[in-house]
């Protein structure tokens, strides 16, 4: 009996000694190996629906509360300690995962101007946590949205539809239009495309500007259209099956999600925007997720009939020819970064989680090779850039850059653009 007691105490001590939080989990190689094998964080708790039911007149604070309740039910790590700066004050002694990934709003004592931020596929509002505070300090009431299927586990993307996404975007735009005198929208990737498609159909009269960050126009994978058919095949549910140790963004990628976003991109490439709506687009020419050439083609088509300012901040190492009706800001050099990735545009270099010295290093290029993955995660000297084939062949180890050394320049242009048009 005494030996059993001592053994139990020893076991409890070991468990407490290796207790994880959201910042240590991504660097734990054993957790990676186990996660790849079991897929534990790939699947949500089977409690309640994957998508929230909205009512048209729901107050935004009620929407946020209901979404937090959904995350608490379905996300296995919702209450995991997450000692990172939180945008919103938390009632708990220490911030938890839910405090970083749930939608939120930063409100002034006025309703003069607002901005709605819409994240992309596999992401969460955490991607906006720095820029939201910057915009708030600029005088904007800031509001974020969580797209259905997000904030829980990657498998939940197999249980939502394009209509679910568009319904939430429609609600958030309409509610924001009602709550503020004037407002803007900034969408990232899929969020940018969903916002554009909604505005094309129903543009509120007090929407005064649109910012599109790496908008989802066309996938680099030209076979993405096949996903909607392959997903019907038995045992063919996933494009990527990762360990999902990033608390704020899914690392695994279901075929169903590829099918959903393909439908959005097809509509995006055919879209028209109001000709009097000022638009700022921000993108990298070597984006490994979205084909930037398709985005430039779309902007060129829009420029033919656009009367309002149409601007582009482009990260490109080489010169580029562009329609002169598009005001181009060309960034060709970045500190400590080869080139800019899809995922790094909105994150400052000093970010505590995704920054150069942050807790999370994106080694997804090696997720199928445990030894190479561990080398990438632990290397003291690492090359940052987009994980396209040229970089992967030339640099080892290569981490996909999750931050932007030009963040200050980007936010300066964004602030000037918004302040010029939203008033």
């Amino acid at each position: 009996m005494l030996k059993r007691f001592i053994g139990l105490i020893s076991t409890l001590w070991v468990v407490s000694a290796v207790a994880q939080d959201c910042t240590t989990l991504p660097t734990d190689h054993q957790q990676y190996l186990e996660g790849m094998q079991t897929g534990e964080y790939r699947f949500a708790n089977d409690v309640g629906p994957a998508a929230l039911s909205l009512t048209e007149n729901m107050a935004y604070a009620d929407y946020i509360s209901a979404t937090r309740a959904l995350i608490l039910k379905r996300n296995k790590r919702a209450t995991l300690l997450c000692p990172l700066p939180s945008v919103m004050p938390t009632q708990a002694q220490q911030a938890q995962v839910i405090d970083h990934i749930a939608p939120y709003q930063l409100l002034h004592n006025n309703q003069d101007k607002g901005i709605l931020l819409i994240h992309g596929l596999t992401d969460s509002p955490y991607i906006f946590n720095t820029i939201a505070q910057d915009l708030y300090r600029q005088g904007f009431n800031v509001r974020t949205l969580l797209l259905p299927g997000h904030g829980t586990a990657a498998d939940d993307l197999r249980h939502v539809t394009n209509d679910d996404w568009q319904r939430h975007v429609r609600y958030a735009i309409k509610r924001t239009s009602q709550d503020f005198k004037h407002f803007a929208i900034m969408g990232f990737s899929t969020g940018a495309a969903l916002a554009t498609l909604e505005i094309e159909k129903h543009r509120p009269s007090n929407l005064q500007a649109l910012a599109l960050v790496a908008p989802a126009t066309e996938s680099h994978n030209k076979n993405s259209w096949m996903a909607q058919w392959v997903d019907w095949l038995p045992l063919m549910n996933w494009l990527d099956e990762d360990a999902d140790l990033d608390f704020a963004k899914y690392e695994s990628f279901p075929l169903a999600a590829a099918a959903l976003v393909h439908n959005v991109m097809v509509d995006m490439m055919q879209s028209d925007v109001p000709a009097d709506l000022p638009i700022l687009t921000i993108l990298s020419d070597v984006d490994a997720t979205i084909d930037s050439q398709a985005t430039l083609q779309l902007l060129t088509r829009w420029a033919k009939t656009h009367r309002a300012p149409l601007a582009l901040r482009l990260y490109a190492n080489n010169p580029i020819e562009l329609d002169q009706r598009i005001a181009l800001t060309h960034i060709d050099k970045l500190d400590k970064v080869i080139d800019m990735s899809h995922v790094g545009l909105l994150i400052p270099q000093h970010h505590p989680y995704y920054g150069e010295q942050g807790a999370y290093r994106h080694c997804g290029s090696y997720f199928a090779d445990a030894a190479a993955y561990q080398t990438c995660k632990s290397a003291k000297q690492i090359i940052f850039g987009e994980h396209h084939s040229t970089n992967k062949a030339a640099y080892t180890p290569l981490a996909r850059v999750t931050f932007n050394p030009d963040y200050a320049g980007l936010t300066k242009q964004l602030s000037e653009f918004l302040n010029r048009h939203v008033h």
Side-chain angles (χ1 to χ4, degrees), residues 9 48 93 140 155 160 189 259 262 280 301 314 379 381 417:
I9 294 298
Q93 286 186 328
F140 283 88
D155 187 64
V160 297
S189 193
H262 173 76
L280 169 64
R301 178 169 67 78
L314 178 67
Q381 300 294 325
F417 168 77

Side-chain angles (χ1 to χ4, degrees), residues 261-277:
V261 77
H262 173 76
N263 295 334
V264 172
M265 290 188 293
V266 168
D267 291 342
M268 179 64 168
M269 285 301 293
Q270 298 173 353
S271 68
D272 288 308
V273 288
D276 62 341
L277 181 65

Side-chain angles (χ1 to χ4, degrees), residues 239-259:
L239 282 173
D240 291 329
E241 293 179 274
D242 211 322
D244 288 287
L245 300 185
D246 184 350
F247 78 91
K249 181 181 177 71
Y250 301 155
E251 296 172 313
S252 296
F253 195 82
L255 273 164

Side-chain angles (χ1 to χ4, degrees), residues 184-217:
I185 299 172
M186 182 166 74
F188 171 69
S189 193
T190 300
L194 291 169
T196 301
L197 295 176
E198 183 59 28
I199 292 166
E200 180 183 26
K201 297 176 183 176
H202 311 105
R203 184 233 174 137
S205 60
N206 57 343
L207 174 64
Q208 296 190 320
L210 176 64
L212 304 175
V213 183
T217 51

Side-chain angles (χ1 to χ4, degrees), residues 43-118:
F43 300 92
N45 294 319
D46 188 15
V47 182
L52 181 70
S53 295
L54 295 171
T55 58
E56 185 174 344
N57 296 319
M58 179 183 287
Y60 213 79
D62 294 337
Y63 157 74
I64 291 173
S65 295
T67 304
R68 287 181 66 92
L70 185 152
I71 294 171
L72 279 171
K73 290 177 182 178
R74 297 188 65 82
N75 188 319
K76 295 176 180 177
R77 288 175 292 186
T79 58
L80 180 69
L81 291 182
C82 198
L84 294 165
S86 178
V87 175
M88 298 294 294
T90 174
Q91 295 179 350
Q93 286 186 328
Q94 292 179 283
Q96 300 173 336
V97 164
I98 188 172
D99 298 313
H100 298 290
I101 63 173
Y104 57 85
Q105 50 185 351
L106 305 174
L107 301 178
H108 292 282
N109 292 323
N110 64 65
Q111 295 176 302
D112 292 342
K113 58 181 183 179
I115 184 165
L116 173 65
L117 310 179
I118 307 174

Side-chain angles (χ1 to χ4, degrees), residues 217-227 230 239-240 253 255 258-259 261-262 265 287-292:
T217 51
E218 189 173 298
S219 174
H220 257 297
N221 184 347
K222 302 309 176 186
N223 294 321
S224 63
W225 63 272
M226 297 175 62
V230 177
L239 282 173
D240 291 329
F253 195 82
L255 273 164
V261 77
H262 173 76
M265 290 188 293
D287 188 319
T289 301
I290 299 299
D291 188 340
S292 296

